[in-house]
Every structure is written in C-alpha cells, then in structure tokens.
Amino acid sequence: MATSFTKASLGAEGIGSDVNMIMGNGYTKGHAEFTLQELRESPELRKIFEELYA
C-alpha cells in the first residue's frame, strides 16, 4: 500500500476531524474474485486494463 499514514493522520488532525483509520496490508479476503468481477461488469475499466496489460 502506498499510503502515508503520517500525512493522513496529521491532515485529519489539522482540519479537526475525528476519523477511524483502518490499516491493512494491501489484501482482503476475496480480493481476486472481487477484482475479476469488476473487470467483467465495467467495460471502461476492462478497456483500460487491456490497454495496460494485454
């Protein structure tokens, strides 16, 4: 994950907002199936994916 947690927490503090920050390792259960379903359902997303990786 390419997230700066320091910047995120200081940004929330700077605007005086209470937030719940959830840290992850970049993966979630079923992520592969979810991604494939998104590609099947979105022609625009699939086109971009195919242009980048086909």
Side-chain angles (χ1 to χ4, degrees):
M1 297 176 72
T3 302
S4 171
F5 298 111
T6 303
K7 289 180 183 177
S9 61
L10 290 174
E13 182 181 15
I15 62 171
S17 179
D18 288 331
V19 297
N20 292 324
M21 295 182 70
I22 301 172
M23 311 300 179
N25 65 359
Y27 296 98
T28 188
K29 185 176 180 179
H31 72 279
E33 292 82 8
F34 176 78
T35 302
L36 292 173
Q37 191 61 35
E38 287 294 310
L39 288 172
R40 290 182 191 111
E41 293 177 359
S42 173
E44 297 87 4
L45 185 60
R46 184 172 180 141
K47 182 177 182 258
I48 293 168
F49 181 86
E50 289 175 348
E51 287 172 357
L52 290 171
Y53 301 109

